Structure formats: structure tokens, C-alpha cells
Amino acid sequence: MTTAFTFPGQGSQAVGMGKLLADTFPEAKAVFDEVDDALDQKLSDIMWNGPEGDLTLTANAQPALMAVSLATMRVLEAKGLDLKASVSFVAGHSLGEYSALAAAGSLDVATAAKLLRVRGNAMQNAVPVGQGAMAALLGLDFEAAAEIAKDAAQGEVCQAANDNAPGQVVVSGHVAAVERAVEIAKARGARRAVLLPVSAPFHCSLMGPAAEAMAEALTNADIKAPVVPLVANVLATPITDPVDIRDRLVEQVTGTVRWRESISWLAGEGVDTFVEVGTGKVLTGMVKRIAKEASGMAINSPDDIDAVIEKLSS
């Protein structure tokens, strides 16, 4: 058995996430306390009690999702997991890349939380509210979706932002251009094309100011080589060098999240077990569509943690 750990991105958040972990395991509670201290904010209270509108704010959702992933990791480690011995690769979807790096010892939890707060604010502020949009184009392959984005741009920005799974591509850019992409996709046979309820046009060139902010923030961040390789969003291949990691984290703010290719690459390298560490099952669902022969497990409860420990030790 060859295993990769994956870490979810924005959209997986839900009020109450991580509460059972914190109530059950002191190792998990310590992570939430550390994130609260790093941000000088009771983020855990928003995570567990809402309101949902506050949790879904990009500046809150990003460090919150990382906190749940790392709390889960600490419990796994307390139960005997040795990441280096049991896991061959880590990968994270968009902000999940920071969670993956923290899990692999490349970033400490406080640093990851502070970077994600900067990232969330910078991404939210890069484009005035109402000027950007994202849309999911379903039932088209990536090349067809990218061509639609190109045709829809018409002097504005419209780019393929997320290549999530076969037939599931997200485009991002100016509102009018993304709306054109939706109509073009419908005309070209998309099974469905729909605008997404997001607050900014992530992973396109409009995020340039956010990339600049992250370049500055990452310059002073202490980044170590991860104990297992990270499969980077923008490369869909593994990296371990801290300088390379820093550059790719900047690049991914405006670059395409190449998730389908990343999972395909991992499967091609013999990974047959994917464990989603955090909250929700979004990535596990994508794995089932990309690497049909592989098994996927999502950790959403203490019982799930025990099941993963049992599987990895068998």
C-alpha cells in the first residue's frame, strides 16, 4: 500500500468543524489554541459557533480549515502515526497546500495561520466586490473549458482556475467574461455551467496584487524542507526545496490548481490510498473520479482517525 495525504481547500468549511476533535483530544485542542493565539482572535469560537457568514469570510475560512487539518494530524501522531514512515506524498487543494506543508513539518502551525490570514485578506481585497466571478463548467474536459475561457475573455480576464476532476473545471475572471463563458459552455455541450457563490475571482491574473502580498509575506517565513514531498498545485509534480516551495506558493495565487493532474500523477507513481485530512469529503469524491482503482478515506470523526491508523498499520 502506498499512501498520500490530501488537505481540503476553501468551500469545505462548516460551522462546528473541529469541535468534536477539540472536545475529545487535548492534542487537537492545543492546535486550535495555537491558531487563536497566532491570529490574536478567537477563531475557534467562530468555527464552532458561527455565524456561518463570518466563517465563510476568506480571511477566516483559510486558517480555520488549516487548523482542523493540523488538529487531525496531531491526533493521528498521538496515536502513533509517523508521517515519513507511512505516507509517501502530501498535496493540498489551494489553501490546503499550506496545511500539507504544515503537516509535513515545512511550516509550523502559527506561521501557516498567519500566512493564510495574509493570503485570505489579500485575495479578498485584490478585486473590488462585484467585479470578479467564478463559474463551474461541468461535463467538458480541461482543454475545452480552457478554450471557452479564452474565447469568453474578449479583452477581459477569464481563465481556467481549477482543474478539479474529469469534466469539472472552474473558470475565473471579470464578471462579464465569466458570464460569457457560462453561455458559451452551454452552447458547446456542457452538462451544466453555473456561477459559484464566491467572494472573489481566485486563481486568475486578477489576483496579481495578492500574489505580490504573498511574495512579501513568504520572504520572511521560515520554510523547511518537508519530511515527505509536496505535490504542488501549479506543477502537478513533487517539490521539497524551500526556495521552490516559496516560489510555487506565490505562483499558485494566480495559477491554475492542477488537481486532476496531481492525483493522476500520484496514481501513476503507485499511490493507491488517498486520505483526506481535515473536514468534508470533497477531495475524496474527486479522487474516485480521477483514480478509479485507488481507495479514498476522509477523516471527519474520531472513528475515522482510528480507521486510518488501523489501515496504515495493517
Side-chain angles (χ1 to χ4, degrees):
M1 185 174 70
T2 304
T3 304
F5 274 14
T6 65
F7 297 83
Q10 205 161 335
S12 291
Q13 70 273 359
V15 172
M17 66 181 188
K19 182 68 164 63
L20 183 58
L21 273 180
D23 288 346
T24 308
F25 303 106
E27 300 86 359
K29 178 65 163 56
V31 171
F32 295 118
D33 289 345
E34 187 175 356
V35 171
D36 286 352
D37 290 344
L39 299 178
D40 195 25
Q41 174 198 16
K42 199 71 173 171
L43 181 61
S44 59
D45 184 58
I46 296 172
M47 293 167 61
W48 300 336
N49 301 307
E52 185 177 1
D54 287 355
L55 178 59
T56 56
L57 291 172
T58 301
N60 288 334
Q62 295 199 13
L65 286 161
M66 183 279 299
V68 178
S69 290
L70 268 293
T72 305
M73 283 297 305
R74 294 294 175 263
V75 177
L76 287 166
E77 290 163 355
K79 288 178 172 284
L81 173 75
D82 180 337
L83 186 75
K84 187 175 182 180
S86 300
V87 175
S88 298
F89 301 95
V90 293
H93 192 283
S94 190
L95 82 89
E97 206 153 74
Y98 288 79
S99 307
L101 288 166
S106 185
L107 297 170
D108 63 46
V109 170
T111 298
K114 291 174 182 176
L115 286 170
L116 285 170
R117 172 55 54 83
V118 172
R119 185 178 185 269
N121 280 325
M123 292 175 83
Q124 185 62 62
N125 295 333
V127 180
V129 174
Q131 291 190 16
M134 299 180 78
L137 309 184
L138 306 180
L140 300 171
D141 63 26
F142 178 75
E143 289 72 21
E147 188 67 23
I148 286 168
K150 181 181 177 182
D151 292 346
Q154 298 178 22
E156 294 185 306
V157 171
C158 189
Q159 296 170 233
N162 295 4
D163 182 10
N164 285 331
Q168 185 181 336
V169 181
V170 175
V171 297
S172 181
H174 286 110
V175 171
V178 172
E179 289 174 342
R180 286 192 293 270
V182 167
E183 295 309 311
I184 294 170
K186 291 175 180 176
R188 294 185 186 176
R191 190 175 77 250
R192 193 167 177 230
V194 59
L195 291 169
L196 297 176
V198 296
S199 56
F202 304 132
H203 298 291
C204 74
S205 61
L206 294 178
M207 288 287 112
E212 292 175 9
M214 289 314 299
E216 182 178 349
L218 285 159
T219 296
N220 300 315
D222 182 17
I223 302 176
K224 299 179 174 67
V227 297
V228 297
L230 168 82
V231 177
N233 284 183
V234 296
L235 301 175
T237 51
I239 55 176
T240 56
D241 178 70
V243 173
D244 201 10
I245 288 169
R246 183 177 283 108
D247 291 345
R248 300 294 81 77
L249 288 175
V250 174
E251 187 180 344
Q252 61 123 275
V253 176
T254 57
T256 302
V257 176
R258 297 168 61 183
W259 193 252
R260 175 184 58 84
E261 291 177 89
S262 296
I263 299 303
S264 293
W265 184 90
L266 286 163
E269 290 297 303
V271 173
D272 53 14
T273 303
F274 292 84
V275 178
E276 184 172 358
V277 184
T279 188
K281 300 180 180 180
V282 171
L283 301 184
T284 302
M286 291 180 189
V287 163
K288 290 177 181 176
R289 296 183 60 190
I290 301 166
K292 293 182 172 59
E293 303 302 315
S295 66
M297 304 175 71
I299 300 177
N300 286 291
S301 70
D303 287 345
D304 293 337
I305 289 174
D306 291 337
V308 167
I309 292 292
E310 181 179 352
K311 186 172 183 66
L312 293 181
S313 60
S314 62

